[in-house]
Amino acid sequence: MLAGLDDAQREAATALDGPVRIVACAGAGKTRTITRRIAYGCRTGAWDARGVLAVTFSVKAAAEMRARLGTLDVGDDVTAATFHSAALHQLRRVWPDVCGAPFPHVTDRPQELTARALRRTVNPEGLDPTQTGLPAVRDVLAEINWCKVQLIAPDDYGRVCAATHRQPPIGLEPDRFADVYTAYEQEKSATGHIDFNDILLMACHVIDDDADAARAIRRSIRWLTVDEYQDVSPLQHRLLTRWLGDNRNICVVGDPAQTIYSFAGASSYDLLHFTEEFSPVAADISLRTDYRSTPQIVGYANRILAASPEREHYLRLESGRGAGVRVVRTQYDDDEQEAQGIAARIARLVAQGVSASDIAVLTRINAQQQHVCAALRAQGLRFRVRRDASWQSSPLADETQEQAALLEAKGIVKDSAAVTVSTIHASKGLEFPHVFIVGCSEGLLPYGSPAPGEALEEERRLMYVGVTRAEDTLHLSFAARQSSDTGARRRPSRFLV
């Protein structure tokens, strides 16, 4: 179980009691380490596998964890799931004892509910598509979700906006957005539905308000592991503290340099302050060796973070690999030439025997992918597109999707060879021998060229995540202009260090 682990990984895998924090850089083998830790605890008899819960954020990550635990002969009894899947299972188990009504349905149409709420409150006549069209619906639903994960009720929204200078979406005043938020909740209740975040809120309420249900839930959570702890929201943090009660057997794993979902309510605060909240901790371990990337790529990643005012919170990476090739930077005349140049480079790699599935083109936003896909198509190259939202990155999936994710994690089902075209956000957790990051210019990466502050730091961390997806080669590029007939020149990204 411990064979092949380095000293730091072994220390983490054998720290079985009390609060444990593992700060793991990109490519440090954190999933391997925490699954070995779980297996070691169970197979030595220190833990009862039926009382082990390991939670992560996506269906794909949970499936990978289950697959690895299965190879260690503890997969059948250990629960490895997303926050939402674990909480939903717990609620359904105790629901008959806490409520006489049927368990509500989890909606798969939150946009439809949001659209109805908008029509009721903002524009009953439906005359202004800018406030009831699909883009508006998406923006409003994102803000409702943000409020929920931040534990902000409709009545508190106006005060939060006043205190933080937050601007509601689609030009709404804070009070009017609060009305939309309230109407959304009413639409759900009227149809007997809950949404994803309601699952976590309800689990918190049940544990807080029903002692018997709380005991039943906590009996199944004697050893808790939380992956990607830098992405925990206030709502998820509240739930995990309810799961624990007086129990101190918690292990968290994360990397503050990979916090890239602040816009959705994630924060590295709880990871950074774990040793204070759970003092005294049993172990505080750093995994700083990147076994994925060459020294050249690791050095580039380190330089990106070295310019950050928050660099004291970030690990300085060390490569566990031998020397590789230099990181390539290329300037093109315009976006179309950039896409064509990258596609030509990829075609040469494939002609040399590189599998297309070993190559990824990463973009900051979805809109950049059109030129890339057209250029790959012109070269006769197969490709798959990963955008910021898919069921694999979702906190919940149906049974068929869960099974597909597990089969893929076990290597039983593999996609045919194709270049991956992905946003950097959607590539998190993935790795490729050859990575191309396009659009490395001010305005695109960092997006909007934000002033110094948290928005810029989020963009810096996003660039770091993109760079550390690469194993063997990394190619960074930008276009001097959007198109040949556009006069405005772009400046290279400040992250091209």
Side-chain angles (χ1 to χ4, degrees):
M1 286 179 290
L2 303 180
L5 299 182
D6 65 27
D7 290 344
Q9 292 170 338
R10 180 181 290 263
E11 182 185 0
T14 55
L16 299 180
D17 299 317
V20 175
R21 178 174 71 172
I22 304 170
V23 179
C25 73
K30 71 175 179 65
T31 304
R32 182 186 190 204
T33 301
I34 60 176
T35 52
R36 295 289 186 93
R37 180 178 182 269
I38 291 170
Y40 184 75
C42 295
R43 292 180 60 184
T44 58
W47 296 358
D48 180 346
R50 294 168 296 181
V52 177
L53 173 62
V55 289
T56 187
F57 285 80
S58 71
V59 171
K60 185 177 186 298
E64 181 182 355
M65 197 177 296
R66 287 196 299 274
R68 294 202 187 193
L69 290 169
T71 65
L72 298 169
D73 297 327
V74 295
D76 291 340
D77 292 325
V78 171
T79 299
T82 64
F83 269 95
H84 294 76
S85 178
L88 184 60
H89 176 76
Q90 293 161 4
L91 283 172
R92 284 177 168 158
R93 182 157 50 88
V94 302
W95 193 256
D97 297 323
V98 299
C99 184
F103 190 79
H105 299 285
V106 181
T107 183
D108 58 357
R109 298 190 300 273
Q111 289 187 358
E112 182 180 314
L113 297 170
T114 306
R116 291 208 295 264
L118 274 169
R119 286 194 293 270
R120 278 177 51 189
T121 54
V122 175
N123 189 14
E125 294 80 20
L127 300 176
D128 186 355
T130 65
Q131 291 189 313
T132 54
L134 184 57
V137 169
R138 288 173 177 164
D139 289 347
V140 169
L141 180 58
E143 187 74 354
I144 291 172
N145 287 331
W146 178 85
C147 288
K148 289 191 168 190
V149 301
Q150 294 292 330
L151 301 172
I152 299 169
D155 291 345
D156 298 325
Y157 183 75
R159 289 190 291 275
V160 170
C161 288
T164 63
H165 305 291
R166 188 175 182 85
Q167 295 296 317
I170 65 171
L172 296 177
E173 292 297 320
D175 289 347
R176 180 53 64 92
F177 175 80
D179 291 340
V180 177
Y181 185 0
T182 300
Y184 171 81
E185 295 298 303
Q186 292 169 345
E187 289 287 343
K188 283 197 290 92
S189 297
T191 56
H193 284 88
I194 57 174
D195 62 23
F196 282 173
N197 289 314
D198 290 333
I199 296 170
L200 306 190
L201 288 166
M202 288 171 62
C204 290
H205 290 317
V206 167
I207 294 172
D208 284 340
D209 296 342
D210 192 298
D212 291 337
R215 280 191 293 271
I217 290 172
R218 286 172 180 154
R219 275 198 299 269
S220 65
I221 311 173
R222 296 173 59 193
W223 297 274
L224 176 62
T225 300
V226 186
D227 191 16
E228 302 287 1
Y229 199 61
Q230 78 280 347
D231 288 332
V232 163
S233 69
L235 173 55
Q236 289 162 332
H237 181 264
R238 173 176 287 189
L239 177 58
L240 71 85
T241 60
R242 270 46 178 189
W243 279 343
L244 287 171
D246 296 330
N247 180 10
R248 286 173 52 80
N249 286 320
I250 177 174
C251 172
V252 302
V253 190
D255 180 6
Q258 296 189 68
T259 304
I260 60 172
Y261 293 105
S262 296
F263 64 89
S267 170
S268 62
Y269 177 89
D270 293 309
L271 176 64
L272 294 172
H273 292 84
F274 179 86
T275 56
E276 300 166 22
E277 180 181 6
F278 289 94
S279 178
V281 299
D284 189 14
I285 301 157
S286 294
L287 306 182
R288 61 179 70 247
T289 302
D290 179 354
Y291 293 99
R292 173 189 302 156
S293 305
T294 64
Q296 287 78 5
I297 295 169
V298 164
Y300 203 96
N302 280 333
R303 291 196 295 276
I304 291 170
L305 296 184
S308 169
E310 299 178 8
R311 57 187 175 273
E312 66 198 58
H313 298 313
Y314 303 146
L315 294 178
R316 181 171 179 79
L317 282 64
E318 302 168 359
S319 177
R321 296 186 52 189
V325 299
R326 67 182 181 87
V327 174
V328 176
R329 301 192 305 178
T330 306
Q331 176 179 332
Y332 295 92
D333 290 338
D334 57 43
D335 289 348
E336 186 173 358
Q337 283 193 18
E338 181 181 23
Q340 291 171 349
I342 289 169
R345 287 174 180 262
I346 292 173
R348 288 196 293 271
L349 285 173
V350 172
Q352 293 165 8
V354 174
S355 172
S357 59
D358 287 339
I359 304 169
V361 182
L362 305 185
T363 66
R364 173 61 181 85
I365 57 176
N366 293 329
Q368 293 173 268
Q369 297 173 353
Q370 181 178 354
H371 283 307
V372 174
C373 293
L376 292 173
R377 192 179 295 111
Q379 289 282 352
L381 295 166
R382 290 174 53 83
F383 59 88
R384 69 174 68 86
V385 176
R386 293 179 62 92
R387 301 187 186 276
D388 290 342
S390 71
W391 68 262
Q392 287 188 320
S393 60
S394 170
L396 275 181
D398 60 31
E399 186 174 345
T400 301
Q401 292 168 339
E402 291 268 11
Q403 185 66 18
L406 185 58
L407 291 173
E408 184 176 342
K410 290 180 176 180
I412 297 173
V413 176
K414 290 186 179 293
D415 293 331
S416 56
V419 177
T420 295
V421 180
S422 174
T423 62
I424 300 176
H425 280 102
S427 74
K428 191 167 182 294
L430 304 178
E431 56 190 49
F432 304 90
H434 308 282
V435 169
F436 296 77
I437 303 180
V438 303
C440 298
S441 60
E442 290 294 316
L444 280 174
L445 190 58
Y447 189 70
S449 294
E454 181 50 37
L456 177 59
E457 290 312 302
E458 184 95 345
E459 293 293 311
R460 189 189 313 278
R461 293 190 294 265
L462 191 63
M463 183 68 170
Y464 167 83
V465 167
V467 165
T468 54
R469 298 312 92 197
E471 298 175 7
D472 301 329
T473 69
L474 174 64
H475 182 280
L476 309 173
S477 63
F478 78 99
R481 292 182 172 87
Q482 181 176 359
S483 62
S484 58
D485 56 358
T486 300
R489 288 190 64 85
R490 294 169 172 160
R491 291 182 292 118
S493 170
R494 69 193 77 184
F495 303 143
L496 291 178
V497 293

